[in-house]
């Protein structure tokens, strides 16, 4: 049998194997996508039950926060966000919430209730957070939802330590230990601008006179 005939005979078998692999992996990816969408809702309900019934006491913890820190050490902020979004989105049926990814749930929570239906609700289930944000801005401008803009900085190790210390200090002083870093940094910048706004305005005026 020639090399060509061998190649021709083996080719269909290889193609079928690759197709099977595709379908198996594709199906699993879609399962994981569905699970990911519903997990935040399950986490919110679990944590709310633990909190409201003070079941954390049964584990010897002195507070719900202490239990959450132990049970979800790397996902506390995610859990608190899930709880908040769940409480805010009580008007949305569970069957719809299970189809909404956590990022979009947070965005939807900021949309007025009268707009949480139709095109916006449908978009929340299928669009990326960036796409969904654009949809909300277009369909419900009064929600004042903003697009997120990514900034990139390269800090030295000492600069990074100063930044982390400042963010932590802001959280402590504002009694919001789990505040997102973006919110903390914004707070620091706003505080700085308010503190020096009069001095800045005076310098601007002097510059205008000299110019």
């Amino acid at each position: 049998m020639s090399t060509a005939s061998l190649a021709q005979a083996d080719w269909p078998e290889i193609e079928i194997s690759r197709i099977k692999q595709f379908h198996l992996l594709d199906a699993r990816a879609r399962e994981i996508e569905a699970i990911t969408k519903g997990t935040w809702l399950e986490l919110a309900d679990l944590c709310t039950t633990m909190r409201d019934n003070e079941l954390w006491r049964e584990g010897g913890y002195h507070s719900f926060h202490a239990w959450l820190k132990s049970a979800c050490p790397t996902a506390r902020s995610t859990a608190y966000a899930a709880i908040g979004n769940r409480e805010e989105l009580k008007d949305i049926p569970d069957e719809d919430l299970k189809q909404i990814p956590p990022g979009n749930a947070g965005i939807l929570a900021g949309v007025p209730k009268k707009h949480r239906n139709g095109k916006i609700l449908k978009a929340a289930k299928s669009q990326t957070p960036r796409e969904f944000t654009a949809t909300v801005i277009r369909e419900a401008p009064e929600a004042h939802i903003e697009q997120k803009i990514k900034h990139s900085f390269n800090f030295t190790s000492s600069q990074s330590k100063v930044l982390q210390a400042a963010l932590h200090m802001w959280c402590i002083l504002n009694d919001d230990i789990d505040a997102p870093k973006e919110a903390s940094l914004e707070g620091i910048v706003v505080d700085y601008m308010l503190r020096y706004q009069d001095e800045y305005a005076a310098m601007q005026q002097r510059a205008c006179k000299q110019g």
Side-chain angles (χ1 to χ4, degrees):
M1 185 178 292
S2 67
T3 303
S5 62
L6 278 173
Q8 290 175 355
D10 291 342
W11 182 252
E13 183 178 348
I14 294 173
E15 281 298 295
I16 292 173
S17 176
R18 288 177 60 83
I19 290 174
K20 286 183 177 179
Q21 288 183 53
F22 164 76
H23 285 299
L24 287 172
L25 296 178
D26 179 74
R28 182 54 182 159
R30 294 175 189 278
E31 288 177 1
I32 293 174
E33 170 74 4
I35 292 171
T36 301
K37 285 184 176 181
T39 299
W40 75 268
L41 189 63
E42 180 182 359
L43 179 62
D45 289 341
L46 184 156
C47 289
T48 299
T49 299
M50 183 72 75
R51 181 196 63 189
D52 294 351
N53 293 281
E54 297 188 352
L55 293 175
W56 42 267
R57 294 183 183 277
E58 305 304 320
Y61 295 96
H62 61 81
S63 68
F64 169 72
H65 180 78
W67 167 78
L68 189 59
K69 184 177 181 180
S70 174
C72 305
T74 62
R76 279 180 296 159
S77 60
T78 300
Y80 279 119
I83 294 171
N85 292 336
R86 173 61 154 154
E87 292 178 347
E88 176 59 35
L89 297 173
K90 289 181 179 178
D91 55 303
I92 306 296
D94 283 4
E95 53 266 29
D96 288 318
L97 290 178
K98 289 178 181 178
Q99 300 177 56
I100 300 175
N104 285 357
I107 298 170
L108 186 62
V111 176
K113 292 183 179 180
K114 64 180 181 179
H115 290 295
R116 295 175 188 169
N117 51 46
K119 183 179 293 185
I120 287 182
L121 183 58
K122 182 179 180 180
K125 300 176 183 179
S126 59
Q127 294 183 337
T128 66
R130 177 178 288 275
E131 293 170 340
F132 183 49
T133 297
T135 297
V136 171
I137 291 174
R138 183 176 62 254
E139 301 295 329
E142 67 270 34
H144 302 296
I145 300 295
E146 298 180 284
Q147 283 282 12
K148 290 188 176 182
I149 301 174
K150 185 176 181 179
H151 293 274
S152 179
F153 298 95
N154 294 312
F155 295 106
T156 63
S157 57
S158 59
Q159 290 172 333
S160 180
K161 289 180 180 179
V162 171
L163 176 61
Q164 294 300 326
L167 295 175
H168 180 69
M169 182 184 294
W170 187 91
C171 290
I172 296 298
L173 293 176
N174 288 272
D175 193 26
D176 191 1
I177 192 63
D178 292 307
K181 292 181 179 179
E182 293 84 357
S184 302
L185 183 58
E186 180 185 20
I188 292 171
V189 173
V190 170
D191 289 344
Y192 181 88
M193 293 177 69
L194 289 176
R195 180 176 179 181
Y196 292 104
Q197 63 181 354
D198 292 338
E199 182 178 341
Y200 173 75
M203 292 180 66
Q204 289 290 86
Q205 289 179 353
R206 287 198 297 270
C208 289
K209 290 179 181 180
Q210 293 174 358

